[in-house]
């Protein structure tokens, strides 16, 4: 099988919460199964490749969001990559810019997003900061927990085109309505950092299976199991 | 002609009258007894409690304590404590009696901690104050510092400071409001956010520290364009902001001043970033009228500011403590830590920042040929990071137990220990250093 290309988009704009970790996790989980993987780091000014398998966007500040939207629209290759069947996984600020619109700054100025997800983000009544637990129903119908750390001022509302990724057990999630994240085809947005794929290996493998169209063998990483157990227990203990 | 900073014209600040002083005196006494009680109870130095009681009893306690003193404030994400110690040492080398200089040496850098330090030395005429980034605007307004040192701005505790730029915005407003009565700012020319924040000051002394950390400065803080970088200098493509010409330049261990004199920095504190801190402290000392040679002699004496780089004994093993609080700090500390194995201690209490995602912004891959002992309450988060980085490691969450590893006894000299804030403070105590 050929090399899987994981594209880390505008790390220096949307990557302030260790979001690059998501790319490391995806690549390593393939390599440890004997498969080839390559992380392609794209910075503003560089061309986004149109042949990625998984595109990743992470967290960032207001001005970085606007800058990223402009650059991605001008470049156009993210859209081409998605047309070819790639997976797009976006966290926090990266999730917000995929929507129809989002607000930035002290005056809540509204900006148009990339329009890839049927979601809208507006400033919420108070900032959501803290450890979260969300119930995620996997494609096979079983449910598992997503653990992570949310830190966002925006509240996101889903339109009819998008479905929630998970349901909130602890934390705020999209807007305090009990939903977390959004899924639309092969595009997934979510709030938690951690980075989220580090603490949630099943979600990482789901993205890879979605991108490659194959079922992956289980991969044992005891250190990750211990961390998951520790964080889930800590949040449940309150 | 080279322009040197002129001392600002002294202006008449409202001074506390007799009644005001009596009020303050009572507040200070009450604060002292509260601090004593807190210390007896084993709750630290009592500095913050003392300040809190004082400021509750006398709302204007801090204003009064700052009045009639020459004040220098030191702020920035990394290096505040060490730079404050360096600047204090430079001043003390120059004044007749070291007690003329008061400082919050313990790093209690919010209003309460600052008030507490000032109250402990009422006769000191010069105050060198480590100042939290969030407190800088109010110290500019009420303390009328003659010098403000702005070191750097990088991501740190994002669960609390959501946008580092908003801190810079508040500094700009405070400096603009202070106008001609504001401080001379000594600021790092390499950091775009520092430059933007310092810009409105009546006079800025720029220091080129050759800081290699650029990960928190992608966009122009003024307009949001992606900054260009050429020959190690940055500029905004729209022309809003560019790296200023430096007044002081650091080259290796030598600082060149505005009249092109070159001064060697001889420090006991290690690392490139401490040379940068010293270059800023040196410039600030010069602005305050300290001759270069006295400043350099003073800075030479600083060895282990608030436990940083101090060597203690932990479970029979000698360890050298290095503090790292954020990705920029870890990048510098990892360069200094050379032992194999080494100990890394992490936690996510409020003072560490509750979100540990920063672990993934640190290049732990550089430790691949060494063994790491992960300790502290969040050791498992670090273990997963190291697992993915391919670094061999052991997990021992208990701080003292971590030093029982027999491999540590084979290390020649002290074992390097890098720690986030709260384990660092615990280690200081455990190692008999605080």
């Amino acid at each position: 099988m050929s090399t899987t290309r994981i594209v880390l988009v505008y790390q220096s704009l949307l990557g302030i919460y260790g979001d690059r970790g998501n790319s490391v996790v995806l690549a390593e989980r393939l390599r440890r199964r004997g498969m080839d993987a390559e992380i392609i780091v794209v910075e503003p000014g560089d061309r986004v490749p149109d042949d990625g398998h998984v595109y990743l966007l992470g967290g960032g500040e207001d001005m970085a969001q606007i800058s990223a939207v402009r650059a991605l629209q001008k470049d156009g290759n993210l859209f081409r990559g998605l047309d070819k069947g790639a997976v797009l996984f976006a966290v926090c600020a990266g999730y917000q810019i995929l929507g129809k619109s989002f607000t930035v700054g002290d005056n809540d100025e509204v900006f148009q997003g990339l329009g890839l997800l049927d979601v809208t983000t507006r400033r919420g009544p108070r900032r959501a900061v803290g450890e979260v637990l969300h119930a995620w129903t996997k494609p096979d119908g079983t449910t598992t927990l997503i653990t992570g750390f949310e830190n966002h001022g925006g509240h996101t509302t889903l339109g009819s085109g998008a479905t929630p990724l998970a349901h909130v057990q602890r934390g705020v999630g999209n807007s305090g309505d009990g939903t977390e994240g959004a899924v639309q085809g092969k595009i997934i947005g979510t709030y938690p950092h951690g980075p989220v794929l580090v603490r949630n290996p099943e979600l990482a493998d789901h993205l890879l299976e979605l991108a490659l169209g194959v079922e992956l063998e289980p991969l044992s990483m005891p250190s990750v199991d211990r961390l998951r157990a520790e964080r889930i227990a800590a949040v449940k203990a309150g | 002609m080279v322009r040197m900073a002129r001392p600002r014209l002294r202006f008449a600040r409202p001074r506390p009258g007799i009644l005001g002083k009596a009020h303050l005196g009572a507040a200070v006494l009450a604060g002292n007894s509260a601090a004593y009680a807190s210390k007896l109870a084993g709750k630290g130095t009592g500095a913050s409690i003392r300040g809190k009681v004082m400021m509750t009893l006398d709302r204007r306690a801090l204003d009064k304590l700052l009045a009639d003193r020459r004040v220098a404030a030191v702020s920035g994400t990394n290096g505040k404590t060490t730079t404050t110690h360096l600047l204090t040492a430079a001043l003390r080398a120059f004044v007749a009696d070291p007690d003329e200089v008061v400082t919050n040496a313990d790093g209690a850098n919010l209003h309460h901690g600052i008030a507490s330090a000032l109250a402990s030395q009422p006769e000191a005429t010069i105050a060198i104050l480590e100042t939290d980034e969030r407190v800088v605007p109010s110290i500019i307004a009420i303390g009328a510092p003659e010098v403000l040192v702005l070191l750097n701005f990088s991501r740190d505790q994002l669960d609390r400071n959501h946008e580092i730029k908003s801190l810079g915005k508040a500094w700009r407003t405070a400096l603009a409001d202070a106008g001609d009565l504001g401080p001379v700012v000594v600021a790092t020319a390499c950091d775009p956010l520092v430059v933007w924040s310092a810009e409105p000051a009546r006079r800025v002394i720029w220091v080129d520290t050759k800081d290699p950390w650029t990960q928190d400065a992608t966009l122009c803080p003024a307009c949001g364009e992606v900054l260009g970088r050429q020959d190690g200098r940055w500029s905004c493509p729209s022309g809003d902001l560019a790296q200023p010409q430096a007044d002081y330049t650091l080259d290796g261990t030598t600082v060149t001043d505005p009249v092109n004199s070159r001064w060697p920095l001889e420090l006991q504190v290690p690392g490139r970033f401490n040379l940068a801190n010293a270059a800023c402290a040196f410039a600030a000392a010069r602005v305050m009228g300290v001759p270069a040679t006295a400043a350099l002699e003073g800075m030479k004496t600083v060895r282990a500011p608030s436990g940083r780089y101090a060597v203690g004994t932990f479970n029979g093993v000698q360890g050298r403590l290095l503090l790292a609080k954020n990705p920029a700090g870890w990048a510098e500390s990892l360069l200094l830590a050379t032992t194999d194995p080494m100990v890394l201690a992490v936690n996510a209490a409020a003072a560490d920042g509750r979100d540990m995602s920063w672990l993934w912004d640190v290049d732990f891959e550089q430790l691949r040929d060494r063994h790491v002992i992960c300790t502290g309450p969040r050791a498992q988060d670090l273990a997963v990071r190291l697992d993915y980085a391919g670094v061999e490691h052991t997990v021992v969450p208990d701080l003292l137990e971590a030093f029982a590893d027999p491999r540590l006894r084979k290390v020649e000299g002290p074992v390097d220990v890098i720690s986030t804030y709260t384990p660092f403070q615990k280690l200081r105590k455990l190692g008999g250093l605080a």
Side-chain angles (χ1 to χ4, degrees), chain B residues 152-300:
Chain B
N152 51 62
F153 257 139
S154 75
R155 75 189 82 166
D156 183 40
Q157 300 195 15
L158 292 169
D159 57 319
R160 214 160 51 187
N161 302 320
H162 309 302
E163 288 214 272
I164 49 178
K165 198 188 145 187
S166 62
L167 290 170
K169 251 187 225 168
W171 292 13
R172 279 180 72 89
T173 309
L175 288 168
D177 288 350
D180 286 346
L181 301 176
V184 170
V185 176
V186 172
T188 318
C190 328
D191 188 324
L193 192 47
V194 164
V195 170
W196 182 71
S197 307
E199 228 189 357
R202 70 181 176 95
R203 173 92 174 95
V204 185
I205 307 290
W206 299 110
V207 185
D208 184 354
T209 61
K210 310 251 163 59
D211 186 346
W213 183 260
T214 58
Q215 288 189 36
D216 293 298
T218 304
L219 299 179
C220 171
C223 70
E225 288 276 332
V226 176
L227 290 171
R229 289 181 191 271
Q230 211 172 11
D231 306 326
R233 301 177 68 80
W234 56 266
S235 64
C236 168
S238 309
D240 287 303
L241 207 63
Q243 182 162 337
Q245 277 301 324
D247 300 286
Y248 287 80
T249 305
L250 177 67
D251 266 303
T253 57
T254 305
V255 184
T256 307
D257 74 9
V259 290
N260 274 324
S261 297
R262 291 160 57 82
W263 305 97
L265 294 172
E266 289 167 39
L267 303 176
Q268 293 195 64
V269 285
R272 192 212 58 78
F273 62 101
N274 279 326
L275 288 162
N277 292 336
C280 293
F282 180 67
R286 300 280 301 272
V287 173
M288 295 184 82
V290 180
T293 46
L296 294 170
E297 281 304 312
M299 294 198 300
K300 238 187 236 182

Side-chain angles (χ1 to χ4, degrees), chain A residues 135-138 140-145:
Chain A
W136 169 49
T137 304
K138 293 186 287 178
D140 66 5
T142 59
T143 296
T144 187
L145 288 173

Side-chain angles (χ1 to χ4, degrees), chain A:
Chain A
M1 196 169 159
S2 65
T3 302
T4 300
R5 286 178 298 279
I6 294 149
V7 186
L8 189 54
V9 182
Y10 303 156
Q11 159 66 31
S12 63
L13 291 178
L14 296 174
I16 65 171
Y17 295 95
D19 302 287
R20 81 179 76 201
N22 288 330
S23 67
V24 174
V25 169
L26 291 176
E28 271 304 301
R29 293 187 73 79
L30 288 175
R31 289 176 191 144
R32 289 184 189 200
R33 290 172 166 114
M35 300 160 83
D36 289 331
E38 181 190 3
I39 298 173
I40 300 157
V41 183
V42 183
E43 285 301 349
D46 298 346
R47 207 66 218 273
V48 177
D50 66 359
D51 59 354
H53 294 93
V54 183
Y55 292 87
L56 296 172
L57 290 166
E61 299 192 345
D62 286 2
M63 285 206 306
Q65 286 185 291
I66 302 164
S67 185
V69 168
R70 282 191 191 136
L72 286 170
Q73 266 160 347
K74 196 173 146 201
D75 180 273
N77 273 351
L78 172 64
F79 302 96
R80 286 180 201 105
L82 293 172
D83 286 343
K84 292 180 185 176
V87 165
L88 169 56
F89 181 68
V91 173
C92 201
Y95 168 35
Q96 295 177 350
I97 67 166
L98 296 190
K100 291 195 288 196
S101 65
F102 58 95
T103 50
V104 303
D106 302 332
N107 305 318
D108 296 324
E109 208 180 329
V110 176
F111 279 82
Q112 295 304 305
L114 295 171
L116 290 166
L117 277 178
D118 184 11
V119 304
T120 309
T121 303
R122 293 290 179 270
R123 189 212 290 262
R126 65 182 182 86
R127 200 173 175 92
V129 185
E131 292 272 343
V132 297
L133 274 186
H134 304 310
W136 169 49
T137 304
K138 293 186 287 178
D140 66 5
T142 59
T143 296
T144 187
L145 288 173
I146 291 179
T147 146
F149 192 99
E150 68 180 344
N151 185 353
H152 53 104
H155 278 202
T156 300
T157 320
L158 273 57
S160 58
T163 50
L165 171 69
H167 293 274
V168 177
Q169 288 198 348
R170 295 292 164 89
V172 175
N174 282 329
S175 63
D177 66 353
T179 69
E180 160 56 36
V183 183
Q184 198 166 333
K186 289 188 178 178
I187 302 171
I188 299 177
T190 191
Y191 272 114
H193 304 285
V196 65
L197 299 184
V198 172
R199 294 204 208 168
N200 303 284
E202 289 172 292
L203 183 58
D205 287 350
H206 170 62
L207 297 179
L208 292 170
E209 288 178 345
L210 206 56
L212 303 176
V214 297
E215 204 169 309
L216 295 168
E217 293 295 313
L219 176 73
S220 163
M221 280 189 78
S223 66
V224 174
D225 297 341
R226 275 195 290 274
L227 175 62
R228 259 184 83 75
E230 201 180 290
R231 295 324 309 147
I232 291 169
V235 176
K236 281 187 174 167

